[in-house]
Amino acid sequence: MQDEPTPVELTKAVADFLRNDITPLISGHQAFKLRVAINILDLVTRQLTREAGGDAAEVTRLRALLGMDGSVTELNRVLSERIARGEIDLATPGLAEHLWQTTMDKLAVDQPNYASYKREQGRDV
């Protein structure tokens, strides 16, 4: 296993190469498909960069909401079940804030350039 370059550096390097060196050479439908590929690489880069911190923060919020420990997947399953049974709702302290922050964290990876996302970044729940 190599220490350098990291997966983030490799993914970013490929996206930058395609964007800067190949995009000017391609047109039409092939250029569209290239832009899609670059967008995917950019998304993977953001996910690799933000995933660990975002998951850790989500787990911390979920532990506080649910009063239990577990992985992000397990805790989200329990949260969903409790919401479905009516045990937790938007009146539950911390739930609205958790849902908002989780949504914003996911948008930061998936669609960080959406105007609505940028506008809402500073919003308080």
Side-chain angles (χ1 to χ4, degrees), residues 1-10:
M1 183 168 207
Q2 299 295 324
D3 294 327
E4 298 291 329
T6 67
V8 169
E9 292 168 334
L10 290 169

Side-chain angles (χ1 to χ4, degrees), residues 13-43:
V14 171
D16 289 345
F17 167 73
L18 293 173
R19 186 178 1 263
N20 299 327
D21 296 352
I22 305 301
T23 298
L25 306 175
I26 298 177
S27 63
H29 189 66
Q30 296 304 319
F32 169 76
K33 291 194 297 188
L34 179 62
R35 284 193 307 275
V36 169
I38 292 168
N39 287 339
I40 290 168
L41 290 168
D42 288 341
L43 186 143

